[in-house]
Amino acid sequence: MKVLVIGGGAREHALCRSLSLDPDVTALYCAPGNAGIAEVAELHPVDILDGDAVARLATDLGAELVVVGPEAPLVAGVADAVRAAGLPCFGPSGEAALLEGSKAFAKDVMAGAGVPTARSYVCTTPAEIDEALDAFGAPYVVKDDGLAAGKGVVVTEDVEAARAHALACDRVVIEEFLDGPEVSLFAITDGTTVLPLRPAQDFKRALDGDEGPNTGGMGAYSPLPWADPKLVDEVMESVLQPTVDELRRRGTPFSGLLYAGLAITSRGVRVIEFNARFGDPETQVVLARLKTPLAGVLLASANGTLDELPPLKWSDEAAVTVVIASHNYPGTPRTGDPIGGLDDVAAQDAPHAYVLHAGTRKEGDRVVSAGGRVLSVTATGKDLAVARERAYAAAARIRLDGSQFRTDIARKAAEV
C-alpha cells in the first residue's frame, strides 16, 4: 500500500514512524513533512488547506490511502476533496469535522446524543458574556468557538481575564468548570463501528505543577495506572458510540479519528471537548504502545470495514513523551536555532527512546527549530517510571538554545 500523510508536526511524525514499520506499506509520502519525517518518508510540498492540490498530489503519487493529520485541513474539507478524487481517505468530512471546528456545534451534537458534558452558554455579545460569567462564577472556562491550535481556551479565576478573552472571540462558549483529572481517549471509527484506543493523559500548561499559560501540549503518558479499568468501556457506551450514532443520524457520518477530551469528575465522566484528529502529544505515546500494524486499521476506517478487523494488539509497556519547546513558547517562539544531540539519542537511547520532530526544518546539513513545539522525546519501558527515566535521559542530550521542557511529565502517575 502507498500511503500519503498530510501535515508536518510531531503527530504526523508519529504516524509516519508507525506506518514506516508496517510491512504492508510499500511507499510512504508526507506533505509537507519536516526534517525528522524526511528520514522515514518522501516529502512533497503542498498547501495542506487546498483540497484540490492535496487530491492532485495523492493521485500523482498513486497513493492508495491518504491520512489527513491536522484539524485545519479537515475542517476545510480536504478529506472530501480526496474522496471526490476516488481515493480512500482517513479523516472526517468538513461537515463532520465541525465537531472540533465549532464548540457550539459539538455541544449541540452532545445534547442530541445525550452525552454528559459541562453546562454552557454560547455568547456573541458583551451582555451575553457577562451574564454567562456571572451565572457560572470562578473558575471561569472560556472557549473560542472556532479552531485555535489548542490555545483557544482560558481557565482563570480572574473575571477580567475571562471577559477579555471572550470579547476577543467572534463567538464564544462559556461553561461550568469541571473538576477532576483529565483523560484523552482516541477512537477510530468508520461512521458506524467504533474502535477505542488506549487512554492517555497530556499536560497542557507550559510549566511544572500545571502552572503557566495553556499550550498545545507539553507531554503525555500511557497507560493510566490510577484510572478505573472499566473507563474505556464506560466512555464507549456513554460518549463515543452515541456521538458517532448521532452524527450518522444527522446525515453527517463521522469517519476517522474521534478524540474525546474527558474530565473524571466527582459526578462521573464528562466531555470537555471533541477533536476530529489524533491529538498531539498523546498520539506519540498511544502509537508507541500499538502492536497492530497501523495502515490496515486506517484503511478499514476509510473503507467502512472496521467491523471485519480482529481486536487490536497492545504492548504491556508504558510510554512517556516530553515536548521540547522553543524560547518564549507559547508566546511568539524564536525559530532558526540549530538543534544538536539528535544523533546522540539515536546512538545511545534507541530503540527504547527516540525523537519525533514537531517544528523543525533542514538548513543545509543542519536541523533548526521552526516552531513553538520543536521535538517530542518519546520512550517506552516496563512501567511509567522506566519510560519516564528514559525519556528524560534522552531529552537531556538535546541541545537547543533557550529551549524549555517540563520536568514533571508522568511523575505522579509513575508513583501510583
Side-chain angles (χ1 to χ4, degrees):
M1 192 192 316
K2 295 180 178 180
V3 182
L4 169 63
V5 176
I6 302 301
R11 161 187 47 227
E12 287 76 34
H13 194 174
L15 287 164
C16 285
R17 180 181 182 273
S18 290
L19 290 165
S20 74
L21 298 172
D22 187 334
D24 287 337
V25 175
T26 54
L28 182 58
Y29 311 103
C30 188
N34 63 38
I37 295 173
E39 296 175 10
V40 295
E42 182 179 299
L43 302 191
H44 292 268
V46 78
D47 177 354
I48 65 171
L49 298 179
D50 185 336
D52 292 337
V54 171
R56 273 196 309 275
L57 175 62
T59 302
D60 291 346
L61 292 172
E64 293 154 291
L65 173 65
V66 178
V67 180
V68 183
E71 60 272 24
L74 289 169
V75 172
V78 167
D80 302 271
V82 172
R83 279 191 275 267
L87 299 173
C89 186
F90 180 81
S93 67
E95 212 174 344
L98 275 178
L99 201 62
E100 176 169 4
S102 167
K103 303 287 191 296
F105 175 75
K107 287 289 187 184
D108 189 57
V109 170
M110 284 188 269
V115 168
T117 186
R119 293 178 299 122
S120 63
Y121 295 105
V122 179
C123 307
T124 54
T125 68
E128 289 173 347
I129 288 166
D130 288 341
E131 192 177 332
L133 293 173
D134 289 344
F136 289 127
Y140 303 99
V141 181
V142 183
K143 299 180 176 182
D144 190 334
D145 181 52
L147 292 179
K151 298 172 209 160
V153 180
V154 165
V155 181
T156 179
E157 299 278 347
D158 182 345
V159 69
E160 290 308 321
R163 182 179 287 114
H165 182 64
L167 291 170
C169 305
D170 288 335
R171 186 160 76 148
V172 69
V173 174
I174 296 174
E175 62 184 40
E176 67 175 331
F177 176 77
L178 296 174
D179 64 326
E182 294 185 16
V183 172
S184 301
L185 184 61
F186 301 162
I188 292 173
T189 178
D190 56 13
T192 302
T193 301
V194 181
L195 202 62
L197 306 186
R198 291 293 160 91
Q201 186 173 58
D202 77 330
F203 294 74
K204 291 188 171 64
R205 298 282 186 170
L207 307 176
D208 284 7
D210 290 329
E211 299 289 333
N214 258 355
T215 71
M218 294 299 291
Y221 69 92
S222 178
L224 312 182
W226 51 267
D228 188 327
K230 299 192 288 289
L231 176 65
V232 173
D233 292 340
E234 180 187 339
V235 175
M236 266 291 290
E237 186 178 329
S238 65
V239 175
L240 297 171
Q241 192 71 57
T243 300
V244 169
D245 292 345
E246 173 68 11
L247 284 163
R248 189 177 65 253
R249 187 187 68 76
R250 291 175 177 226
T252 54
F254 188 105
S255 165
L257 195 289
L258 178 58
Y259 164 148
L262 309 164
I264 314 300
T265 77
S266 54
R267 294 170 294 148
V269 173
R270 297 287 185 273
V271 175
I272 300 169
E273 64 176 357
F274 282 123
N275 290 333
R277 39 72 194 180
F278 279 101
D280 181 352
E282 300 97 320
T283 301
Q284 289 86 302
V285 292
V286 173
L287 291 186
R289 302 184 60 217
L290 179 65
K291 293 173 75 173
T292 301
L294 183 61
V297 182
L298 303 186
L299 184 63
S301 164
N303 288 340
T305 56
L306 275 180
D307 61 334
E308 298 172 13
L309 287 186
L312 297 179
K313 293 180 181 174
W314 295 92
S315 166
D316 291 330
E317 289 201 318
V320 172
T321 282
V322 177
V323 171
I324 297 179
S326 57
H327 177 74
N328 200 42
Y329 179 77
T332 304
R334 193 173 76 203
T335 60
D337 288 315
I339 301 168
L342 296 171
D343 291 340
D344 297 340
V345 175
Q348 300 182 54
D349 300 287
H352 302 297
Y354 48 89
V355 178
L356 298 169
H357 291 230
T360 67
R361 68 173 185 269
K362 282 297 270 292
E363 276 190 2
D365 292 335
R366 299 192 312 173
V367 177
V368 302
S369 61
R373 291 185 295 170
V374 182
L375 303 168
S376 285
V377 181
T378 302
T380 55
K382 67 182 178 66
D383 55 31
L384 283 173
V386 173
R388 193 173 178 277
E389 186 179 325
R390 287 171 172 169
Y392 278 107
R397 300 192 205 281
I398 301 297
R399 299 182 299 278
L400 174 61
D401 186 50
S403 63
Q404 53 176 316
F405 59 84
R406 283 184 57 160
T407 65
D408 61 348
I409 304 301
R411 179 189 288 156
K412 287 181 183 174
E415 296 167 353
V416 172

